[in-house]
Amino acid sequence: MAHIDYYFSPISPFTYLAGQRLEEIAAKHGATISYKPLDIMALFAKSGGTAPKDRHPNRSAYRMQELRRQSIKTGLKLNPQPMFFPTNQAPASYAIITAQSAGGGDLGGLVHGLLAQVWANEKNIAEDDVIREVLSDNGFDPDLTHKGMLTAAETYGRNLEEAVAAGVFGAPSYVVDGSELFWGQDRADDLDLFLSGKL
């Protein structure tokens, strides 16, 4: 059985545009998933990337075109310049980490729900009430926002270091069995083919 380490940021638009394709692919192949939210800005700094605000105008313009096109392709509503971006990623990341440890809910739905709050619903996922609502909507105890914070913070930092060690430089990234890396929501089909033994 394959295992997928899923490195992502709860404020990444391309992670949002991935929808729940990863969960569909994993279910198809009987693969397991470890959700590893991380600080995408810190990842850029550690891996030679550039934060969106610091990119050349050409790259920024292309990013906007690509967000528009991918939104149309996926059918996912997206505001390419949301009110609360960037925002503090840590609170939502801690909630995801704690929910994964607690179990009992829809973790993929939680991740996608938090991303949708940023990119479709104009809400700030650094706010406790927003996180609590998405936790509850996906079958988790909303009070998880206040539980296991120290452990979650340690895991959050460790996720970043593990991502860099695994060769990750952007989000979303999928690492199969610790070795095969797929970067970007547009590589989900390649991930599917790889798990099928066709790549």
Side-chain angles (χ1 to χ4, degrees), residues 103-137:
D106 178 359
L107 200 57
L110 173 64
V111 170
H112 187 65
L114 288 166
L115 284 152
Q117 296 293 63
V118 178
W119 296 99
N121 301 334
E122 296 291 358
K123 293 189 178 179
N124 186 355
I125 61 166
E127 295 178 358
D128 190 62
D129 287 348
V130 174
I131 299 170
R132 289 173 62 86
E133 178 185 348
V134 182
L135 280 164
S136 182
D137 287 348

Side-chain angles (χ1 to χ4, degrees), residues 50-90:
T50 307
K53 69 179 180 62
D54 299 322
R55 291 175 186 165
H56 188 278
N58 290 0
R59 292 178 62 88
S60 296
Y62 182 79
R63 177 178 178 271
M64 288 297 165
Q65 289 185 16
E66 189 66 356
L67 289 175
R68 175 182 53 80
R69 289 191 292 251
Q70 295 299 319
S71 175
I72 292 168
K73 281 177 65 176
T74 60
L76 291 169
K77 172 187 169 186
L78 180 140
N79 175 1
Q81 295 180 301
M83 187 181 305
F84 299 105
F85 175 86
T87 191
N88 183 1
Q89 309 161 67

Side-chain angles (χ1 to χ4, degrees), residues 13 40 52 68 74 154 179:
I40 190 66
R68 175 182 53 80
T74 60
E154 291 172 350
S179 60

